[in-house]
């Protein structure tokens, strides 16, 4: 699963991305080979989007979901806004769950 974290600037999201990668590395169920993480500013979303399976949106740009939806929806790429408290705690495990659940729900909804 290729996960794109989208934020305003990128620094704190890079830290969260590293925490998510550590969760995968330390997991007995998940394999590092199955995941790719990147973090970019929202301004670069349209150029980068086609290389990803899901977009996770930092809470600081949660107000841009309309714009993000316009980019993701036609490409059938799900997106979710990360809870501000989860983001503030840099909780990589909870954000990984959000990514996996959002992706699975989207796949189920759009299957067949």
């Amino acid at each position: 699963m290729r996960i794109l974290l989208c934020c305003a600037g990128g620094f704190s999201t890079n830290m969260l991305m590293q925490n998510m990668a550590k969760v995968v590395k330390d997991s007995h169920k998940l394999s590092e080979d199955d995941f790719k993480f990147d973090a970019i500013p929202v301004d670069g979303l349209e150029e980068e989007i086609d290389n990803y399976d899901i977009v996770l949106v930092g809470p600081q740009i949660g107000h841009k979901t309309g714009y993000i939806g316009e980019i993701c929806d036609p490409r059938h790429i799900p997106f979710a806004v990360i809870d501000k408290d989860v983001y503030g705690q840099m909780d990589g495990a909870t954000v990984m769950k959000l990514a996996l659940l959002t992706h699975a729900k989207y796949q189920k909804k759009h299957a067949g």
Side-chain angles (χ1 to χ4, degrees):
M1 180 185 299
R2 297 159 307 172
I3 301 171
L4 182 62
L5 288 99
C6 202
C7 60
F11 178 71
S12 56
T13 307
N14 260 322
M15 284 175 37
L16 180 58
M17 181 180 72
Q18 289 170 2
N19 289 351
M20 292 171 70
K22 184 178 181 339
V23 167
V24 172
K25 183 178 184 179
D26 294 346
S27 168
H28 298 294
K29 293 181 180 174
L30 305 174
S31 168
E32 286 182 276
D33 296 338
D34 295 336
F35 292 91
K36 176 185 179 219
F37 301 96
D38 284 304
I40 62 163
V42 68
D43 303 343
L45 182 61
E46 199 149 16
E47 293 81 43
E48 297 290 331
I49 187 72
D50 293 321
N51 300 316
Y52 295 91
D53 300 310
I54 186 167
V55 175
L56 297 176
V57 180
Q60 67 275 42
I61 58 163
H63 62 281
K64 294 197 173 200
T65 54
Y67 167 76
I68 293 165
E70 288 174 15
I71 295 171
C72 292
D73 292 343
R75 294 170 169 88
H76 306 291
I77 298 172
F79 67 94
V81 178
I82 302 166
D83 178 83
K84 67 178 176 41
D85 295 330
V86 170
Y87 189 90
Q89 296 164 5
M90 292 284 132
D91 185 345
T94 301
V95 178
M96 273 305 300
K97 282 183 198 157
L98 174 67
L100 293 168
L101 287 171
T102 301
H103 190 262
K105 276 188 207 169
Y106 190 88
Q107 294 298 322
K108 191 174 182 180
K109 183 178 170 186
H110 294 87

